[in-house]
Amino acid sequence: MKGGKVHQTCACHSRSSVLTSLVITNDSVSNSLSVKGCFQLQERCLQNPLENLELTCGYLLEEDVKCLSQYPSLGYLKHLNLSYVPLFRVSLEHLGALLEKVAATLETLILEGCQIHYSQLSAILPGLSCCSQLTTFYFGRNFMSVDALKDLLRHTSGLSKLSLETYPAPWESLNSLVHVDWEIFTPLRAELMRTLREIRQPRRIFIGPTPCPSCGSSPTV
């Protein structure tokens, strides 16, 4: 875990005296999340399977991501939220292993704002493609090329239950200020949608700088 003072919140939610949800957040993104430490704190409860795990707004080290893939209690997750946890300096093989482990149960996967680079993507694709129960997938605000996004979309071909999905604008459509150039982005988005429709029919999908899906604004269809 990174040095410095950590302002961390660890919230646990139980049902019938069995821990089903663990939420770990950080008040400052300059500090790291103590995944291992919080898990050790809840060691007795974590003998039971978790359904929901949220680790948000902080940094994870390599050993933390490895930790996630090794805890037996995480083998039946239904909801995994790592939003705004930068992962661009972390090897994602262990995250891929975790996705493979929870493939039969995972319904929600939130990797929004994780700054994942397209060169890292291949590590999680095999696991993601096995998540047959997945209904919600947030992947916006990551650094992806057009080819990487096409590869990602193709790996969702077997995810027939997906009803809401978000993806970033490809980096080729971003200008020097990292803003979307709409003249470039619009045809690229259409190209991505053609790629997706060749393998499955999406329900609600957002590509690029769109409003929050929860507000019900018009998705790319």
Side-chain angles (χ1 to χ4, degrees):
M1 185 182 76
K2 267 191 178 181
K5 185 177 179 181
V6 176
H7 303 282
Q8 180 170 288
T9 301
C10 178
C12 305
H13 307 283
S14 62
R15 183 174 64 238
S16 301
S17 75
V18 177
L19 183 70
T20 59
S21 179
L22 180 61
V23 180
I24 306 174
T25 60
N26 212 25
D27 293 337
S28 171
V29 295
S30 63
N31 295 314
S32 64
L33 298 170
S34 180
V35 174
K36 186 175 181 180
C38 195
F39 279 2
Q40 288 175 339
L41 182 65
Q42 302 297 332
E43 184 174 2
R44 181 178 300 178
C45 295
L46 285 169
Q47 300 303 314
N48 301 303
L50 279 178
E51 293 181 359
N52 179 55
L53 178 62
E54 297 184 28
L55 308 171
T56 61
C57 299
Y59 282 92
L60 291 179
L61 301 182
E62 195 82 32
E63 62 186 82
D64 295 317
V65 182
K66 183 178 181 180
C67 172
L68 294 179
S69 67
Q70 293 179 338
Y71 269 89
S73 58
L74 300 184
Y76 301 92
L77 281 178
K78 291 184 177 181
H79 310 285
L80 176 60
N81 182 358
L82 299 179
S83 56
Y84 296 96
V85 175
L87 297 175
F88 63 95
R89 293 183 178 177
V90 176
S91 174
L92 297 186
E93 279 78 8
H94 296 298
L95 177 57
L98 176 61
L99 292 179
E100 291 185 18
K101 179 186 292 188
V102 302
T105 58
L106 193 66
E107 298 174 5
T108 304
L109 176 60
I110 302 179
L111 298 176
E112 184 87 11
C114 291
Q115 301 177 34
I116 296 173
H117 192 269
Y118 59 82
S119 62
Q120 300 172 281
L121 189 62
S122 61
I124 64 172
L125 291 182
L128 175 65
S129 65
C130 295
C131 294
S132 58
Q133 303 304 307
L134 200 65
T135 62
T136 303
F137 178 41
Y138 285 11
F139 196 71
R141 298 180 184 273
N142 289 294
F143 192 72
M144 294 288 120
S145 65
V146 171
D147 288 343
L149 286 171
K150 287 182 178 180
D151 196 20
L152 173 58
L153 292 174
R154 292 188 184 105
H155 275 81
T156 67
S157 61
L159 308 185
S160 60
K161 295 187 177 182
L162 265 181
S163 58
L164 175 59
E165 48 197 308
T166 71
Y167 302 97
W171 70 263
E172 291 94 337
S173 66
L174 305 181
N175 61 27
S176 59
L177 298 178
V178 199
H179 295 157
V180 167
D181 183 324
W182 286 91
E183 289 188 6
I184 299 175
F185 172 66
T186 300
L188 289 180
R189 180 168 58 182
E191 184 179 341
L192 290 169
M193 289 304 301
R194 284 194 298 271
T195 298
L196 181 57
R197 290 195 179 103
E198 289 175 358
I199 56 174
R200 63 178 172 86
Q201 289 301 312
R203 297 173 188 174
R204 295 182 67 211
I205 178 171
F206 294 76
I207 300 177
T210 54
C212 176
S214 62
C215 73
S217 298
S218 299
T220 301
V221 294

